[in-house]
Amino acid sequence: MTTTTDPLVATEWLAAHLNDPNIRIVDATFKMPGVLPLPRDDFLAAHIPGAVFFDVDAVSDHANPLPHMFPSAEQFGRDVGGLGIGNDDTVVIYDAGGWVAGPRAWWMFLAYGHDKVHLLNGGLKKWRAEGRGVESGEAKPKPAEFRASFDARRVRSMEQMVANLSGHAEQVIDARAADRFEGRVPEPRPGLRSGHIPGSRSVPYNRLFDAATGTMKPLSDLRAAFTDAGVKLDAPIVTSCGSGVSAAVLTLALYRLGIANPAIYDGSWSEWGKEGGPPVATGPA
């Protein structure tokens, strides 16, 4: 199944639609644990006018010890409704410009049945570089009703990933840096083994965007990044990373290339890499 709708919107487009009554702007900036200032503090200091803050750690399954796992549909609807977002609204998501959690939030909206969702190409970095206005302080949205229904086809569990080791029905692409994929360095989260899921391919997510501008690279460059890594774009794909966040950057790039449902392994290496877990491979793919 393919798609022809590009989810990215330009800063010029958002500036022109900033005050449209059904546009809801969402800041989904995320950082690794221990990195300061916290994303919420960054939001309080400066955000696009009218934006609300989508906390990836808060909009998650709090009963699961793994980081920021997908919540129930009921919780997602409640949390998103609390941000003032309803089912009829068009959502525009951005992050600080490093392409980390913006795509994760975008994929979550799609997975919970909301297809009126876009990503701001270049994020806050490009917005501010163009001299566009920002505001500070807490957002005070009026709560809305958001009815969510979960599409399980967009997410994979560890049980499904283990089964895929023998069946090889889906290609697995890892978004982490090459030295982590190859097991040459320790994982940043303590207690995890080093390496990758056997048979997976390496496409570090930072190869897919221009660090200077924060914009995603042209489709031809995206296609080359995957094909050079040995990925078959006409076969099923699952993306993975450290904890299911930057994997969505790969998912977004694949979606833009016409692949409508490249699923995400939600637990990613935070689950697979635990001591006593499934098999681990090291070295290049």
Side-chain angles (χ1 to χ4, degrees), residues 67-264:
H68 39 254
M69 295 288 282
F70 272 55
S72 67
E74 292 76 17
Q75 182 190 338
F76 186 84
R78 182 174 63 251
D79 290 349
V80 168
L83 295 177
I85 300 169
N87 294 96
D88 294 329
D89 291 326
T90 294
V91 178
V92 179
I93 299 170
Y94 73 89
D95 58 28
W99 289 106
V100 182
R104 164 77 177 198
W106 162 76
W107 195 246
M108 290 181 77
F109 272 93
L110 288 177
Y112 290 103
H114 192 76
D115 60 2
K116 296 188 288 291
V117 57
H118 304 279
L119 281 157
L120 182 65
N121 196 12
L124 186 63
K125 180 175 186 175
K126 186 170 187 290
W127 181 270
R128 299 194 75 173
E130 295 168 345
R132 303 187 190 276
V134 296
E135 61 184 17
S136 60
E138 286 279 5
K140 297 179 180 178
K142 179 182 177 181
E145 182 181 9
F146 188 97
R147 298 175 301 280
S149 59
F150 181 59
D151 181 358
R153 297 173 301 171
R154 298 183 185 268
V155 181
R156 294 291 179 270
S157 66
M158 185 166 75
E159 291 74 19
Q160 291 171 306
M161 299 298 289
V162 169
N164 192 59
L165 288 178
S166 56
H168 301 292
E170 296 179 312
Q171 301 169 95
V172 181
I173 315 176
D174 195 316
R176 295 174 300 155
D179 54 359
R180 291 174 63 189
F181 177 88
E182 296 177 9
R184 293 186 280 111
V185 297
E187 281 293 301
R189 289 184 172 83
L192 297 179
R193 298 171 292 169
S194 297
H196 58 265
I197 297 172
S200 58
R201 299 285 181 173
S202 175
V203 180
Y205 79 94
N206 61 0
R207 295 182 183 174
L208 304 181
F209 63 89
D210 184 331
T213 64
T215 55
M216 187 160 264
K217 290 183 177 179
L219 295 181
S220 58
D221 291 354
L222 301 182
R223 185 174 292 105
F226 291 111
T227 57
D228 289 351
V231 177
K232 298 177 181 178
L233 295 177
D234 58 350
I237 294 171
V238 179
T239 63
S240 181
C241 61
S243 64
V245 175
S246 59
V249 183
L250 305 189
T251 305
L252 169 64
L254 291 163
Y255 192 94
R256 296 189 66 219
L257 290 171
I259 300 168
N261 194 31
I264 286 176

Side-chain angles (χ1 to χ4, degrees), residues 27 29-46 53 57 96 124 128:
D27 183 324
T29 298
F30 171 83
K31 299 178 182 179
M32 288 291 289
V35 178
L36 299 175
L38 296 172
R40 183 177 291 278
D41 292 333
D42 285 340
F43 174 84
L44 293 175
F53 183 67
D57 286 322
L124 186 63
R128 299 194 75 173

